[in-house]
Amino acid sequence: MPLADEESHLGTARLTGELARTTSQLRLFARAVVEGSYLEATIDHPDATTIPPTPDLRRMLRPLGPVAVFGASNFPFAFSVAGGDTASALATGCPVVVKGHSAHPRLSRRTAEVVAGALAAADAPDGTFGHVEGRAAGIALVQHPEIRAVGFTGSLHGGRALFDLASSRPDPIPFYGELSAVNPVLVTPAAVEARAAELAAGLAASFTLGVGQFCTNPGVVFVPAGSGFAELVAAEVGEATAPDAAAPMLTDGIASAFADGVAALAGHDDVRVVAGRAGNGSNAASAPGTGSPVVLATTAAAVIADPQALFAECFGPSTLVVEYASIEEALTAIRAVGGSLTATVHAEPGEDLADILAVLTEIAGRVLFAGWPTGVAVSWAQQHGGPWPATTTIHTSVGVTAMRRFLRPVAYQQAPDAALPAELREDNPLGIPRRVDGVLVVPGAEARPA
Amino acid sequence: MPLADEESHLGTARLTGELARTTSQLRLFARAVVEGSYLEATIDHPDATTIPPTPDLRRMLRPLGPVAVFGASNFPFAFSVAGGDTASALATGCPVVVKGHSAHPRLSRRTAEVVAGALAAADAPDGTFGHVEGRAAGIALVQHPEIRAVGFTGSLHGGRALFDLASSRPDPIPFYGELSAVNPVLVTPAAVEARAAELAAGLAASFTLGVGQFCTNPGVVFVPAGSGFAELVAAEVGEATAPDAAAPMLTDGIASAFADGVAALAGHDDVRVVAGRAGNGSNAASAPGTGSPVVLATTAAAVIADPQALFAECFGPSTLVVEYASIEEALTAIRAVGGSLTATVHAEPGEDLADILAVLTEIAGRVLFAGWPTGVAVSWAQQHGGPWPATTTIHTSVGVTAMRRFLRPVAYQQAPDAALPAELREDNPLGIPRRVDGVLVVPGAEARPA
């Protein structure tokens, strides 16, 4: 833990929580493996009446092969060496080679030792897990003939380059990248009327959490014009914007990219700085490697006119409050945002959300109706992924279904029972849920009311 | 039907069967839609004890968006305008734009009219279905900003070019291509000893079916050295190799590519022509646009030395019999084949198949223990896809799970019940199978023994 804090500056409270999340994530995948649904075991008995006739066919998912995992800078435990990609790949039975992130090399090495030791203790085959370091090793991994898939969490720029490498191999492989998101939030006029102060406090807490270094940071927040919401958020942030309150970020590079990004936004003709320091090409007057909160404001009309400039992800503790003239205008602007990991609506009970939901579900993989998008539960129903550039994939990198990325289907036709994997034998020795002749059968399930 | 036969030369018997398969395929997807499992509806109720805490989270799959489908030359019904890709995309709720294959333009237009009429009669929204023609239109489709995925069945060369286009878009989209397969078959010494004549007859019927124009054609067959199996196959093919017995192929281009491919194989130092005409750069002395069966033979040692040349897919009625000195040598050669749609083993009862299966499941998406790979049943357990270059994907293009390609997950966090899609409302008004707090619940299911 001291090692993790020394390398990441995230503080022991956050890191202790993240470690608990990491181990409970491993346990959740273990439960999913035992439960067995993830295998999609399916049995069709012979049927001579179909065209063409159906022979005995049995299908299940099997491990895809060795997986390369790129550790993330911002989650030294939960998305790094023993993080979600590694856990979901190992859970499917795939060997994993992790490329540790340069932001925490010593923690990565130490974690790799722990993982290797645990696998050896569980009699996993030699070679089930490996750990490499450095940019060249990462590129070599993506191009290695034996690697069958890549899990990546990081920047749009770096992720796109690796995606292109994976796609241009002689045998292209899936590249599961989680790249960039601004996570729009829409506050309806009724909601801001009813509870502006509560919403401002919630937003301030969310976008500054962990010095803003979350992929689910609420980066743009749509509020009614004239609501004064940006000023409320600024008041909530308050003294955190003082130069001596700046907090160390993950790396010097991330801190300077944040300062540059904020300065570029602040330099836009239609953007005003409501709180924080964003002048002169840096999150200025802070110590190097640190960042402090910045609240910016603009209008939906400006966003619609220039979405590329105004919706660049600014990884760090900033948020852009966008004032809209009407919900329709806000939705047009949100469509211009493009793909995101999350989208949030704050409305009052009884409001008709149909038009809003149609847009939010189109652009995001997770839609929130309360709370804030930071804090990603690891569960069966989680979805962490969204349309480009949020992710490169129709799958998730968090939650049980993340395993699907590292599995491929195999069907066995007219196999003798003894030659089949246990999962597909007629008497279901493992007792897993299976689809038999089109009907889902859950062993031991009681009849339940529909 | 006369139109289909005129354009494809496949004969009305085959085409009548293919049409029945096409309509039953549509009905199977309709049943899967009603059953509802394909949505992967998942509900996690709030749980404050997890780290981080789990809010109310509800996840389901939703349509990805407009899909481009490329019709195939060799299945004018089942893999074309109203074929499997179209059916599976429409079943998920995605609009489809088909690029019809130039081998059957009039049938494509007529089928498109039928599909458009059926959708209109069912009150589908305008724009649910479109049909375009020509190479330029196909390229424009793959690059169109609104298209969210591509389904393709065709050549490795053409498919790779389109895959590269899809991957190099500013926003890359999934390209589900089924490209090329040689579908290896392994006959054990015991099987050839027990039933060589039956196996030779089965192979001859399979590789010549439909003038060999199936993606699951058994292109390479491994038999023990000295078994005389190639000669048995040649005898089965018999008079079909006579010049005046040559059958019209789908297009002149396919016929000349077949002739060139066979001639290239026949020209290899280690290959001998056992039956059929394969000299002088053409499947010679046949009328243009026709093809006739060719049986070639080589050794596993030659294959291991030069897999690239000997395992090129030769789309048409040819097969390469490969004589092996040992099962181990055969498996080494099969590994050199690379990815394939299918792999078949013919063995006798009681033989230990573990080593063989380890290799066959590694290289193929469907493993057969009897029969021949042509004839792909459309069912719940079917898998039509395999490691590169068989397909570009970890999904299937045939069978119910083909729908997964055109769906993306969306999670709803802390949504009011009324704002949720019916599939995720607490009382499950549609009565679909769902996972609730980690437990699979099938409404109305009886308890069954494990």
Short mmCIF file of all heavy atoms in Angstrom, two decimals, chain A residues 55-94:
data_model
loop_
_atom_site.label_atom_id
_atom_site.label_comp_id
_atom_site.label_asym_id
_atom_site.label_seq_id
_atom_site.Cartn_x
_atom_site.Cartn_y
_atom_site.Cartn_z
N PRO A 55 -28.23 -32.26 -37.13
CA PRO A 55 -27.57 -33.40 -36.49
C PRO A 55 -27.47 -33.12 -34.99
O PRO A 55 -27.91 -32.06 -34.53
CB PRO A 55 -26.19 -33.38 -37.13
CG PRO A 55 -25.94 -31.94 -37.42
CD PRO A 55 -27.29 -31.31 -37.71
N ASP A 56 -26.92 -34.02 -34.21
CA ASP A 56 -26.63 -33.71 -32.81
C ASP A 56 -25.55 -32.63 -32.79
O ASP A 56 -24.44 -32.82 -33.29
CB ASP A 56 -26.14 -34.97 -32.09
CG ASP A 56 -26.01 -34.73 -30.60
OD1 ASP A 56 -24.97 -34.17 -30.18
OD2 ASP A 56 -26.92 -35.09 -29.85
N LEU A 57 -25.89 -31.46 -32.24
CA LEU A 57 -24.98 -30.31 -32.24
C LEU A 57 -24.90 -29.77 -30.82
O LEU A 57 -25.94 -29.53 -30.20
CB LEU A 57 -25.52 -29.20 -33.14
CG LEU A 57 -25.01 -29.06 -34.56
CD1 LEU A 57 -25.70 -27.87 -35.23
CD2 LEU A 57 -23.50 -28.87 -34.62
N ARG A 58 -23.68 -29.56 -30.33
CA ARG A 58 -23.51 -29.06 -28.98
C ARG A 58 -22.46 -27.96 -29.01
O ARG A 58 -21.35 -28.15 -29.48
CB ARG A 58 -23.06 -30.20 -28.06
CG ARG A 58 -24.18 -31.24 -27.90
CD ARG A 58 -23.72 -32.57 -27.37
NE ARG A 58 -24.80 -33.53 -27.50
CZ ARG A 58 -25.48 -34.05 -26.46
NH1 ARG A 58 -25.14 -33.75 -25.23
NH2 ARG A 58 -26.47 -34.90 -26.67
N ARG A 59 -22.83 -26.81 -28.47
CA ARG A 59 -21.99 -25.63 -28.59
C ARG A 59 -21.66 -25.07 -27.22
O ARG A 59 -22.50 -25.04 -26.33
CB ARG A 59 -22.77 -24.57 -29.37
CG ARG A 59 -22.12 -23.22 -29.54
CD ARG A 59 -23.15 -22.26 -30.14
NE ARG A 59 -22.59 -21.03 -30.67
CZ ARG A 59 -22.52 -19.89 -29.98
NH1 ARG A 59 -22.95 -19.83 -28.74
NH2 ARG A 59 -22.03 -18.81 -30.55
N MET A 60 -20.44 -24.62 -27.06
CA MET A 60 -20.08 -23.89 -25.84
C MET A 60 -18.97 -22.90 -26.18
O MET A 60 -18.36 -22.96 -27.25
CB MET A 60 -19.61 -24.85 -24.75
CG MET A 60 -18.34 -25.59 -25.09
SD MET A 60 -17.80 -26.74 -23.78
CE MET A 60 -17.07 -25.58 -22.62
N LEU A 61 -18.71 -22.00 -25.25
CA LEU A 61 -17.60 -21.06 -25.44
C LEU A 61 -16.34 -21.64 -24.83
O LEU A 61 -16.39 -22.29 -23.79
CB LEU A 61 -17.95 -19.71 -24.80
CG LEU A 61 -19.23 -19.05 -25.31
CD1 LEU A 61 -19.41 -17.67 -24.67
CD2 LEU A 61 -19.22 -18.92 -26.84
N ARG A 62 -15.24 -21.40 -25.51
CA ARG A 62 -13.94 -21.91 -25.04
C ARG A 62 -12.94 -20.76 -25.02
O ARG A 62 -13.13 -19.76 -25.72
CB ARG A 62 -13.45 -23.01 -25.97
CG ARG A 62 -14.35 -24.25 -25.97
CD ARG A 62 -13.78 -25.33 -26.85
NE ARG A 62 -12.48 -25.74 -26.36
CZ ARG A 62 -12.28 -26.81 -25.58
NH1 ARG A 62 -13.28 -27.59 -25.24
NH2 ARG A 62 -11.08 -27.11 -25.16
N PRO A 63 -11.85 -20.90 -24.25
CA PRO A 63 -10.88 -19.80 -24.17
C PRO A 63 -10.29 -19.46 -25.54
O PRO A 63 -9.98 -20.35 -26.33
CB PRO A 63 -9.79 -20.34 -23.23
CG PRO A 63 -10.30 -21.63 -22.69
CD PRO A 63 -11.52 -22.04 -23.41
N LEU A 64 -10.15 -18.16 -25.79
CA LEU A 64 -9.67 -17.69 -27.09
C LEU A 64 -8.17 -17.94 -27.28
O LEU A 64 -7.71 -18.16 -28.39
CB LEU A 64 -9.97 -16.18 -27.17
CG LEU A 64 -9.79 -15.42 -28.45
CD1 LEU A 64 -10.56 -16.06 -29.59
CD2 LEU A 64 -10.25 -13.98 -28.26
N GLY A 65 -7.41 -17.90 -26.19
CA GLY A 65 -5.96 -18.06 -26.28
C GLY A 65 -5.28 -16.97 -25.49
O GLY A 65 -5.94 -16.20 -24.79
N PRO A 66 -3.95 -16.86 -25.60
CA PRO A 66 -3.22 -15.88 -24.79
C PRO A 66 -3.70 -14.44 -25.03
O PRO A 66 -3.90 -14.02 -26.17
CB PRO A 66 -1.77 -16.06 -25.24
CG PRO A 66 -1.72 -17.48 -25.74
CD PRO A 66 -3.06 -17.74 -26.36
N VAL A 67 -3.90 -13.70 -23.94
CA VAL A 67 -4.42 -12.33 -23.99
C VAL A 67 -3.35 -11.36 -23.49
O VAL A 67 -2.71 -11.61 -22.48
CB VAL A 67 -5.69 -12.22 -23.11
CG1 VAL A 67 -6.14 -10.78 -22.97
CG2 VAL A 67 -6.81 -13.09 -23.68
N ALA A 68 -3.18 -10.25 -24.20
CA ALA A 68 -2.32 -9.17 -23.74
C ALA A 68 -3.17 -8.13 -23.02
O ALA A 68 -4.22 -7.73 -23.53
CB ALA A 68 -1.60 -8.52 -24.91
N VAL A 69 -2.73 -7.73 -21.83
CA VAL A 69 -3.46 -6.73 -21.05
C VAL A 69 -2.55 -5.53 -20.78
O VAL A 69 -1.41 -5.71 -20.34
CB VAL A 69 -3.94 -7.33 -19.71
CG1 VAL A 69 -4.48 -6.24 -18.78
CG2 VAL A 69 -5.00 -8.40 -19.94
N PHE A 70 -3.05 -4.35 -21.07
CA PHE A 70 -2.31 -3.12 -20.79
C PHE A 70 -2.84 -2.52 -19.49
O PHE A 70 -4.02 -2.16 -19.41
CB PHE A 70 -2.45 -2.12 -21.93
CG PHE A 70 -1.63 -2.49 -23.13
CD1 PHE A 70 -1.97 -3.57 -23.93
CD2 PHE A 70 -0.49 -1.76 -23.46
CE1 PHE A 70 -1.20 -3.94 -25.03
CE2 PHE A 70 0.28 -2.10 -24.56
CZ PHE A 70 -0.07 -3.19 -25.34
N GLY A 71 -1.97 -2.40 -18.49
CA GLY A 71 -2.38 -1.77 -17.24
C GLY A 71 -2.68 -0.29 -17.44
O GLY A 71 -2.13 0.36 -18.32
N ALA A 72 -3.59 0.23 -16.61
CA ALA A 72 -3.98 1.64 -16.69
C ALA A 72 -3.26 2.43 -15.62
O ALA A 72 -2.92 1.91 -14.57
CB ALA A 72 -5.49 1.76 -16.51
N SER A 73 -3.04 3.72 -15.90
CA SER A 73 -2.34 4.57 -14.93
C SER A 73 -3.23 4.86 -13.72
O SER A 73 -2.74 4.95 -12.61
CB SER A 73 -1.93 5.88 -15.59
OG SER A 73 -3.09 6.61 -16.00
N ASN A 74 -4.54 5.01 -13.96
CA ASN A 74 -5.39 5.60 -12.92
C ASN A 74 -6.00 4.62 -11.94
O ASN A 74 -6.63 5.03 -10.98
CB ASN A 74 -6.48 6.47 -13.55
CG ASN A 74 -7.41 5.68 -14.47
OD1 ASN A 74 -7.01 4.63 -14.98
ND2 ASN A 74 -8.61 6.18 -14.68
N PHE A 75 -5.82 3.33 -12.21
CA PHE A 75 -6.28 2.31 -11.26
C PHE A 75 -5.14 1.32 -11.06
O PHE A 75 -5.11 0.26 -11.69
CB PHE A 75 -7.52 1.58 -11.78
CG PHE A 75 -8.81 2.31 -11.56
CD1 PHE A 75 -9.31 3.18 -12.52
CD2 PHE A 75 -9.52 2.14 -10.38
CE1 PHE A 75 -10.50 3.86 -12.31
CE2 PHE A 75 -10.72 2.81 -10.17
CZ PHE A 75 -11.20 3.68 -11.14
N PRO A 76 -4.19 1.65 -10.18
CA PRO A 76 -3.01 0.79 -10.05
C PRO A 76 -3.34 -0.63 -9.59
O PRO A 76 -2.57 -1.55 -9.86
CB PRO A 76 -2.13 1.53 -9.03
CG PRO A 76 -3.02 2.54 -8.39
CD PRO A 76 -4.11 2.86 -9.36
N PHE A 77 -4.49 -0.81 -8.95
CA PHE A 77 -4.92 -2.17 -8.60
C PHE A 77 -6.01 -2.67 -9.56
O PHE A 77 -5.86 -3.69 -10.21
CB PHE A 77 -5.45 -2.21 -7.15
CG PHE A 77 -4.40 -2.00 -6.10
CD1 PHE A 77 -4.45 -0.89 -5.25
CD2 PHE A 77 -3.36 -2.91 -5.94
CE1 PHE A 77 -3.49 -0.70 -4.28
CE2 PHE A 77 -2.39 -2.73 -4.96
CZ PHE A 77 -2.45 -1.61 -4.12
N ALA A 78 -7.13 -1.93 -9.64
CA ALA A 78 -8.35 -2.49 -10.24
C ALA A 78 -8.31 -2.60 -11.76
O ALA A 78 -9.07 -3.37 -12.34
CB ALA A 78 -9.57 -1.67 -9.80
N PHE A 79 -7.45 -1.81 -12.43
CA PHE A 79 -7.32 -1.93 -13.89
C PHE A 79 -5.87 -2.11 -14.29
O PHE A 79 -5.45 -1.62 -15.33
CB PHE A 79 -7.90 -0.70 -14.61
CG PHE A 79 -9.38 -0.73 -14.71
CD1 PHE A 79 -10.16 -0.14 -13.73
CD2 PHE A 79 -10.01 -1.39 -15.76
CE1 PHE A 79 -11.53 -0.18 -13.80
CE2 PHE A 79 -11.39 -1.43 -15.83
CZ PHE A 79 -12.15 -0.83 -14.85
N SER A 80 -5.09 -2.76 -13.43
CA SER A 80 -3.70 -2.96 -13.77
C SER A 80 -3.37 -4.45 -13.75
O SER A 80 -4.15 -5.24 -14.26
CB SER A 80 -2.81 -2.14 -12.85
OG SER A 80 -2.83 -0.77 -13.27
N VAL A 81 -2.25 -4.80 -13.16
CA VAL A 81 -1.72 -6.16 -13.31
C VAL A 81 -2.72 -7.24 -12.90
O VAL A 81 -2.88 -8.25 -13.59
CB VAL A 81 -0.40 -6.28 -12.51
CG1 VAL A 81 0.11 -7.71 -12.53
CG2 VAL A 81 0.64 -5.33 -13.09
N ALA A 82 -3.42 -7.02 -11.79
CA ALA A 82 -4.42 -8.01 -11.34
C ALA A 82 -5.83 -7.43 -11.48
O ALA A 82 -6.73 -7.80 -10.74
CB ALA A 82 -4.15 -8.42 -9.90
N GLY A 83 -6.00 -6.54 -12.45
CA GLY A 83 -7.26 -5.82 -12.59
C GLY A 83 -8.31 -6.59 -13.39
O GLY A 83 -8.21 -7.79 -13.62
N GLY A 84 -9.31 -5.83 -13.83
CA GLY A 84 -10.48 -6.43 -14.46
C GLY A 84 -10.18 -7.20 -15.73
O GLY A 84 -10.74 -8.28 -15.95
N ASP A 85 -9.33 -6.66 -16.61
CA ASP A 85 -9.03 -7.39 -17.85
C ASP A 85 -8.31 -8.70 -17.55
O ASP A 85 -8.64 -9.75 -18.11
CB ASP A 85 -8.16 -6.52 -18.78
CG ASP A 85 -8.98 -5.44 -19.49
OD1 ASP A 85 -10.21 -5.59 -19.60
OD2 ASP A 85 -8.38 -4.45 -19.94
N THR A 86 -7.32 -8.64 -16.65
CA THR A 86 -6.60 -9.85 -16.27
C THR A 86 -7.55 -10.87 -15.63
O THR A 86 -7.54 -12.06 -15.98
CB THR A 86 -5.47 -9.51 -15.28
OG1 THR A 86 -4.56 -8.60 -15.91
CG2 THR A 86 -4.73 -10.75 -14.83
N ALA A 87 -8.38 -10.38 -14.71
CA ALA A 87 -9.29 -11.28 -14.00
C ALA A 87 -10.26 -11.95 -14.96
O ALA A 87 -10.49 -13.16 -14.89
CB ALA A 87 -10.04 -10.50 -12.92
N SER A 88 -10.83 -11.17 -15.89
CA SER A 88 -11.83 -11.75 -16.78
C SER A 88 -11.18 -12.71 -17.78
O SER A 88 -11.77 -13.73 -18.15
CB SER A 88 -12.63 -10.66 -17.50
OG SER A 88 -11.81 -9.72 -18.13
N ALA A 89 -9.95 -12.40 -18.21
CA ALA A 89 -9.27 -13.31 -19.13
C ALA A 89 -8.86 -14.61 -18.43
O ALA A 89 -9.08 -15.71 -18.95
CB ALA A 89 -8.06 -12.62 -19.75
N LEU A 90 -8.29 -14.50 -17.25
CA LEU A 90 -7.92 -15.71 -16.50
C LEU A 90 -9.16 -16.54 -16.18
O LEU A 90 -9.12 -17.78 -16.23
CB LEU A 90 -7.18 -15.35 -15.21
CG LEU A 90 -5.74 -14.84 -15.33
CD1 LEU A 90 -5.21 -14.46 -13.93
CD2 LEU A 90 -4.81 -15.88 -15.97
N ALA A 91 -10.26 -15.87 -15.88
CA ALA A 91 -11.48 -16.60 -15.52
C ALA A 91 -11.96 -17.47 -16.67
O ALA A 91 -12.53 -18.54 -16.45
CB ALA A 91 -12.58 -15.61 -15.11
N THR A 92 -11.74 -17.03 -17.91
CA THR A 92 -12.17 -17.82 -19.06
C THR A 92 -11.22 -18.97 -19.35
O THR A 92 -11.53 -19.83 -20.18
CB THR A 92 -12.23 -16.96 -20.33
OG1 THR A 92 -10.90 -16.51 -20.65
CG2 THR A 92 -13.16 -15.79 -20.17
N GLY A 93 -10.03 -18.95 -18.72
CA GLY A 93 -9.04 -19.98 -19.00
C GLY A 93 -7.96 -19.52 -19.95
O GLY A 93 -7.15 -20.34 -20.39
N CYS A 94 -7.92 -18.24 -20.28
CA CYS A 94 -6.87 -17.73 -21.16
C CYS A 94 -5.62 -17.35 -20.37
O CYS A 94 -5.73 -16.71 -19.33
CB CYS A 94 -7.35 -16.47 -21.90
SG CYS A 94 -8.66 -16.76 -23.10
#
